[in-house]
Amino acid sequence: MLTRKQLDLLQFINKRMQKDGVPPSFDEMKEALDLRSKSGIHRLITALEERGFIRRLAHRARAIEIIKMPDGMDGGFTPSVVQGGRVDQPRAAMPVEVDALELPVMGRIAAGTPIEAIQDVSHNVAVPGAMLSGKGRHYALEVKGDSMIDAGINNGDIVVIKEQPDADNGDIVVALVEDQEATLKRLRKRGSSIALEAANPAYETRVYRDDQVKIQGKLVGLIRTY
């Protein structure tokens, strides 16, 4: 039996993983549940883990995997991390092979200081079809830098991007700045301005006019190798 706060946190994590492909940061959890400190989030996460609803993944910044949802609730989440062409399955489930599709890896994307715009395909990567978000073109990028580490995106990860020209507030996007530099950041629209927000307090939020930024796609998944 879960408390109301435990259930609220589990639902919030599940919705964010379905939407963004990565779990929310502790700050986002604290804000969503209107708690005063991160210690309250730590206690709730520990309680959910002890009850078998989630699992914290070792050696990854705040990475969480949902194992199950309460009876009667939709547990149709998509795990945020794929390894070796297989989707991690809940512990109670038998391993299931997932059909993989080949996506082009369009070079490297900065999760830090913007780098030159990405143009060329370097190689292909196998991605489970279940990770792809609806119709439309998808591509992959290798992450360089640590500015999105609090969103569970590490240096060297492969991010799966759905190509689209716009995105909602809070989405993690590939943004092309002044047709020259590409970066992976969380999108915040503020009137006629666009803020590209890092998920690491060591990096400042950069604000541009809306005509200086073009959205190249939205993050829908992440692949990590060890």
Side-chain angles (χ1 to χ4, degrees):
M1 194 75 178
L2 297 179
T3 67
R4 169 49 57 185
K5 285 292 188 184
Q6 291 166 1
L7 182 60
D8 287 346
L9 180 60
L10 184 61
Q11 289 177 308
F12 178 63
I13 294 171
N14 186 39
K15 288 179 181 178
R16 282 295 301 274
M17 290 179 72
Q18 288 187 15
K19 180 175 180 287
D20 294 339
V22 294
S25 69
F26 279 27
D27 283 330
E28 290 170 326
M29 295 181 203
K30 179 170 70 72
E31 182 178 343
L33 271 67
D34 195 25
L35 296 179
R36 293 182 179 180
S37 68
K38 293 181 184 178
S39 62
I41 294 296
H42 281 285
R43 287 194 293 270
L44 292 173
I45 287 177
T46 298
L48 290 172
E49 188 171 33
E50 290 174 347
R51 288 161 175 77
F53 288 96
I54 66 172
R55 176 174 59 185
R56 280 180 281 198
L57 306 176
H59 310 301
R60 307 182 203 175
R62 299 172 183 171
I64 295 171
E65 177 187 22
I66 297 181
I67 303 300
K68 63 180 181 180
M69 295 293 288
D71 292 340
M73 292 182 60
D74 178 19
F77 62 94
T78 301
S80 63
V81 179
V82 174
Q83 304 176 50
R86 295 167 64 115
V87 176
D88 289 344
Q89 299 294 321
R91 276 185 267 183
M94 294 295 291
V96 178
E97 291 289 343
V98 179
D99 291 337
L101 302 175
E102 292 283 328
L103 287 186
V105 179
M106 307 290 290
R108 308 180 84 182
I109 181 73
T113 303
I115 56 176
E116 290 184 5
I118 294 162
Q119 300 288 341
D120 300 323
V121 176
S122 60
H123 61 284
N124 289 336
V125 64
V127 175
M131 180 179 283
L132 305 185
S133 177
K135 297 180 180 179
R137 180 175 180 263
H138 292 72
Y139 59 93
L141 296 165
E142 181 184 350
V143 174
K144 180 181 180 182
D146 61 356
S147 75
M148 298 303 290
I149 195 168
D150 283 356
I153 303 171
N154 298 339
N155 184 55
D157 286 346
I158 299 291
V159 288
V160 179
I161 305 297
K162 180 182 180 183
E163 188 175 286
Q164 56 187 65
D166 199 3
D168 296 327
N169 267 329
D171 286 344
I172 296 175
V173 301
V174 173
L176 184 63
V177 179
E178 296 182 328
D179 291 321
Q180 294 182 347
E181 299 175 321
T183 189
L184 185 72
K185 292 290 183 292
R186 194 176 297 280
L187 177 69
R188 302 290 184 191
K189 299 177 182 178
R190 303 173 180 174
S192 61
S193 298
I194 287 180
L196 300 178
E197 182 179 279
N200 182 335
Y203 293 83
E204 65 180 10
T205 296
R206 296 178 178 270
V207 180
Y208 302 91
R209 299 191 314 271
D210 56 8
D211 63 349
Q212 292 178 294
V213 177
K214 294 179 182 177
I215 304 303
Q216 304 290 286
K218 170 186 170 181
L219 174 73
V220 296
L222 182 148
I223 300 170
R224 182 169 297 150
T225 57
Y226 297 90

